[in-house]
Amino acid sequence: MSTVALRLVRRYGPMALLLGMLSACGRSGPESLLLIEVTNQGGCVPEVCVERASRLQKLLTVQLAARSDCAGVQVFLSRNEWSLAKTPPRARHWTLTVYQTLAPVPVPLTWLLSGPGKNYHGSGDSPQILKDVCGLAR
């Protein structure tokens, strides 16, 4: 390490450490924990069902992460991780179940959001589902 770098670390290192600690303390945990489950309606080959459900779960997760209005929502794809998550006591646990059909014609997705004493449902494409869910789960 050069002498200039050492001087900078000695001079500004404690301040950087303090700012890092303060920012970590100021962060609040998630407001909501959201488990996303996808259920296929109608008959299908098991491999196809699993693959399509997994693809829709990943799509919803990525789209949810990109939405600024869902910033306080932490997503889980596994029920075990969701139920064992260490969170602040005020965080709410929600389950989003999305129902898709494997019909040859496009059919809107339907969904059910279950949470602390409340159930909501609706239908639409994945962006519409997330818009509705983010407004309810926060």
Side-chain angles (χ1 to χ4, degrees), residues 8-24:
L8 288 173
V9 168
R10 285 185 192 139
R11 186 174 203 179
Y12 297 109
M15 185 185 311
L17 181 63
L18 178 62
L19 288 174
M21 288 175 22
L22 289 175
S23 67

Side-chain angles (χ1 to χ4, degrees), residues 20-88:
M21 288 175 22
L22 289 175
S23 67
C25 292
R27 279 188 213 149
S28 61
E31 296 172 19
S32 299
L33 304 179
L34 180 65
L35 171 65
I36 298 178
E37 297 180 317
V38 175
T39 301
N40 295 298
Q41 295 181 317
C44 69
V45 178
E47 294 83 22
V48 173
C49 287
V50 169
E51 189 268 328
R52 289 209 39 199
S54 175
R55 191 172 357 148
L56 181 56
Q57 277 183 313
K58 290 175 186 171
L59 173 69
L60 290 168
T61 302
V62 168
Q63 289 179 343
L64 190 119
R67 296 185 62 96
S68 61
D69 60 338
C70 292
V73 179
Q74 184 177 354
V75 177
F76 294 87
L77 300 179
S78 160
R79 185 167 287 278
N80 288 339
E81 290 176 5
W82 173 75
S83 62
L84 297 174
K86 294 181 180 179
T87 60

